[in-house]
Amino acid sequence: MTNYLFFIVTGISLLFLFFLWSSKKSVKTGFAKDENNNQIPDAWEKRFKFLFTFENIIILILGILIGYLFAKSSLLS
């Protein structure tokens, strides 16, 4: 059971990091507008304000979960 949770949390973490990377990349390449120069597209800033506000805390929690589930999983033995 913990093996499945480990892979689920790892997948969610990778999707979240890809989401953050793509938002910053779209601003740098000029694909999306960013009038206040905070590396977040203006269209995304309205919809996903919670994710961008708490992105460091979310990454920390996901990292702790990955470490805990990896230690509890049977992948080490």
Side-chain angles (χ1 to χ4, degrees):
M1 181 66 177
T2 55
N3 290 342
Y4 295 122
L5 288 175
F6 170 73
F7 288 120
I8 290 170
V9 172
T10 303
I12 290 170
S13 300
L14 289 174
L15 287 174
F16 183 66
L17 290 174
F18 179 75
F19 172 76
L20 293 175
W21 173 80
S22 64
S23 71
K24 292 180 186 351
K25 189 70 171 173
S26 65
V27 170
K28 285 183 182 179
T29 59
F31 182 71
K33 288 184 182 179
D34 183 26
E35 293 181 4
N36 54 0
N37 293 327
N38 61 352
Q39 298 298 317
I40 301 169
D42 292 336
W44 295 18
E45 198 168 6
K46 294 175 186 172
R47 288 188 203 143
F48 307 112
K49 187 170 181 75
F50 176 78
L51 293 177
F52 291 115
T53 303
F54 297 107
E55 72 179 285
N56 292 331
I57 295 170
I58 293 170
I59 291 171
L60 176 67
I61 291 170
L62 288 172
I64 290 170
L65 277 173
I66 288 173
Y68 177 76
L69 291 171
F70 184 69
K72 293 289 184 182
S73 69
S74 63
L75 298 174
L76 293 175
S77 56

